[in-house]
Amino acid sequence: MTDYEPVLLANIHNAESHSLRAYEAHGGYATLKKTLRDSAPADVIKLVKASGLRGRGGAGFPTGLKWTFLPADHPGPVYFCLNADESEPGTFNNRILMELDPHQVLEGLILSCYATGASTAYFYLRYEYPLALQRVQGAIDECYAAGYLGRNILGQDFALDIHVHRGAAAYICGEETGLIESLEGKRAWPRIKPPFPAIQGAFRKPTVVNNVETVACVRHICERGVSWFTSMGVPPDPSNPRDPGSFGPKLYCLSGHVERPGCFEAPMGLTVTQLIEDFGGGIWKGRKAKAAIPGGISMGLLSADEFDCPLDFAGPGKYGCLGLGTAAVVVMDETVSMVDFLHNSCQFFAHESCGQCTPCREGTAWALKLIKRIRAGKGRLLDLDLLLQIGDFIGIIPGTTICGLADGAAWPIKNAIRKFRGELEDYIRRTNPEGFAETEPVPALVGE
Ligand SMILES: Cc1cc2nc3c(=O)[nH]c(=O)nc-3n(C[C@H](O)[C@H](O)[C@H](O)COP(=O)(O)O)c2cc1C
Ligand code: SF4
């Protein structure tokens, strides 16, 4: 990995890296100029489609394909929502880009709007990112002054306005239709799909929603081409016709119990061990690893003996996790209690459930009550099966909820219990030796 030269993070250590002057001094906006001069919007869509770029926001949907879902010859307007809500626990790669290289993001966003025919973009920015707000707004102002935004951009028949919209400070604002509702001034309640945003999104008009890192990749694909992008990563699995592969560079967030946490760039498919050892300096304090979340907490949990898991879109799924998510790895050392892990996770999702779907609202709340009871030394072995039942029942995948928050709540529960059942049973036996017989009725949990 040592010979890999970063692209997405190439500029972040330059002096005043967030300024237009520094960005242009390192070739910034040359790609925009060239693309607007030489390529039609359809050419850019074709290029992005051929690159195999998959969205970096969590779901990994192919970006070029998503853009082709926009209705052809729509009278407009078409909107572009840049998803900069970045609320997945453990994830901070969008923040690094926005704070240290906002023009890279803007160049990618302008190119993406050009391709999709959007003349208005909303930069939906996580509320808790004040420095990113300042840097992004400053960069947008510089772009208007330089003629990269506004009417007749660079003398072409292309107009674009970018509005920064501060997020409403909730996890669910990052779900694309929750984001759109929030943008429209309402509660961020996800919409039932279809219709998908490409057909009916913001203000009921065709809308593209893409992540910050996704559009940053678009900027580099336009500059360097398809073969550069597909030269790194993991090709499609021939035994799985539904796997389009995982190409390109990736920003990996590493935090938790490692010597050097941070945001690192490497090709898709780095293993968890490589990330921890080569970039993170190993597990801290000379301790052993116990587990890690592979891509934000909603993706589930890997045990330490699964750290050869490759971080590409298909990798974590082969280890029983939900997917790659945001490739944000949080490492837990041997001192971490799985009871505490589950308590934290369940608390987060119960708090963040928007409450529209009964299985999610009730399931996350009951999971929290059960793990609280276990943690308080009043658990029963049967509670682990009750938790598993909740985990297996809630979510889009079992088809009981509107959005994927519930799947994200379920995976840490399912993985923790299935991979660490022995530890959880020992805890229950140790803290509640009298226990409850498995046949005894569940004591009232209300009010706990
Ligand atoms: C509960 C929930 C939270 C999400 N949060 C984010 C987020 O903070 N940022 C993001 O880009 N995508 C988030 N997503 C994924 C978005 O719905 C959407 O797939 C993504 O923004 C599309 O962009 P991409 O194709 O470039 O990845 C979230 C999804 C769910 C279900
Ligand atoms: S799954 Fe949960 S967060 Fe998503 S819409 Fe339903 S209740 Fe809201």
Side-chain angles (χ1 to χ4, degrees):
M1 226 39 72
T2 44
D3 55 352
Y4 175 75
E5 211 186 306
V7 174
L8 296 164
L9 299 183
N11 292 331
I12 63 166
H13 299 296
N14 297 333
E16 297 290 300
S17 62
H18 58 278
S19 70
L20 179 59
R21 196 154 43 88
Y23 187 64
E24 286 183 324
H26 292 88
Y29 291 109
T31 305
L32 180 68
K33 288 176 189 159
K34 188 171 178 310
T35 306
L36 261 53
R37 194 184 60 226
D38 300 341
S39 308
D43 298 332
V44 182
I45 295 186
K46 231 161 119 182
L47 185 77
V48 172
K49 212 172 161 190
S51 74
L53 170 64
R54 294 173 66 179
R56 293 343 194 197
F61 195 83
T63 306
L65 182 64
K66 184 190 275 188
W67 293 358
T68 63
F69 293 159
L70 290 166
D73 304 322
H74 190 274
V78 169
Y79 294 117
F80 201 108
C81 293
L82 187 69
N83 193 341
D85 196 56
E86 191 160 74
S87 41
E88 182 64 39
T91 312
F92 48 91
N93 54 332
N94 287 183
R95 179 172 65 76
I96 302 289
L97 292 175
M98 293 187 290
E99 288 181 358
L100 298 176
D101 200 359
H103 281 288
Q104 177 188 191
V105 177
L106 290 179
E107 189 172 5
L109 177 57
I110 299 169
L111 285 162
S112 303
C113 289
Y114 176 67
T116 53
S119 54
T120 303
Y122 295 101
F123 202 122
Y124 191 96
L125 178 61
R126 184 185 164 116
Y127 182 82
E128 298 89 340
Y129 280 177
L131 181 59
L133 172 67
Q134 191 189 319
R135 295 268 164 95
V136 166
Q137 190 58 61
I140 291 174
D141 295 344
E142 286 181 311
C143 281
Y144 274 106
Y148 297 136
L149 286 175
R151 311 298 97 189
N152 296 110
I153 295 171
L154 297 168
Q156 304 291 325
D157 182 23
F158 169 48
L160 177 63
D161 288 309
I162 300 180
H163 305 282
V164 178
H165 184 99
R166 285 188 89 177
Y171 179 54
I172 200 59
C173 295
E175 196 278 340
E176 57 185 4
T177 56
L179 181 154
I180 288 169
E181 287 282 303
S182 169
L183 179 71
E184 292 179 357
K186 293 172 268 174
R187 266 183 211 184
W189 276 7
R191 294 178 182 169
I192 294 173
K193 290 154 268 192
F196 288 94
I199 306 298
Q200 208 179 90
F203 312 106
R204 304 287 160 186
K205 298 291 179 191
T207 301
V208 179
V209 184
N210 273 131
N211 175 261
V212 167
E213 188 186 336
T214 308
V215 300
C217 287
V218 168
R219 178 244 185 264
H220 296 288
I221 291 166
C222 289
E223 180 188 343
R224 293 159 184 259
V226 169
S227 50
W228 163 76
F229 196 76
T230 54
S231 70
M232 60 192 119
V234 181
D237 176 354
S239 67
N240 178 3
R242 295 177 63 185
D243 176 19
S246 308
F247 296 111
K250 182 76 197 86
L251 295 181
Y252 297 92
C253 300
L254 179 63
S255 60
H257 297 162
V258 292
E259 290 290 350
R260 281 195 308 274
C263 175
F264 305 104
E265 181 178 345
M268 274 277 182
L270 193 72
T271 66
V272 175
T273 298
Q274 284 173 317
L275 182 62
I276 293 173
E277 297 301 330
D278 300 353
F279 291 91
I283 305 297
W284 75 350
K285 302 182 182 177
R287 292 185 191 157
K288 286 196 189 113
K290 178 170 187 174
I293 63 172
I297 198 165
S298 60
M299 293 300 119
L301 194 68
L302 293 164
S303 56
D305 58 1
E306 296 174 320
F307 281 7
D308 56 352
C309 170
L311 295 167
D312 61 82
F313 287 110
K318 294 175 186 156
Y319 291 75
C321 296
L322 180 51
L324 177 67
T326 57
V329 173
V330 181
V331 179
M332 285 161 261
D333 75 19
E334 56 195 331
T335 67
V336 174
S337 151
M338 271 304 129
V339 175
D340 289 345
F341 165 77
L342 269 179
H343 180 248
N344 270 352
S345 172
C346 290
Q347 201 161 35
F348 174 76
F349 287 106
H351 181 71
E352 297 296 338
S353 167
C354 84
Q356 282 190 96
C357 320
T358 308
C360 174
R361 183 186 64 244
E362 299 300 319
T364 54
W366 276 97
L368 178 58
K369 283 176 182 166
L370 284 165
I371 193 66
K372 266 188 173 172
R373 183 168 72 182
I374 292 173
R375 195 159 176 253
K378 296 176 193 159
R380 308 162 314 155
L381 294 179
L382 181 65
D383 290 341
L384 298 177
D385 294 318
L386 283 175
L387 279 165
L388 278 179
Q389 236 177 47
I390 294 171
D392 285 337
F393 183 70
I394 63 174
I396 282 195
I397 294 173
T400 60
T401 63
I402 294 172
C403 92
L405 182 142
D407 303 73
W411 243 264
I413 295 174
K414 293 194 279 192
N415 284 167
I417 296 179
R418 295 203 167 112
K419 297 181 184 184
F420 292 92
R421 185 155 191 140
E423 176 189 333
L424 294 165
E425 287 190 358
D426 284 351
Y427 181 91
I428 292 169
R429 287 202 178 91
R430 187 163 40 81
T431 55
N432 190 14
E434 301 299 312
F436 293 96
E438 300 224 338
T439 49
E440 219 167 324
V442 180
L445 295 173
V446 182
E448 279 188 23

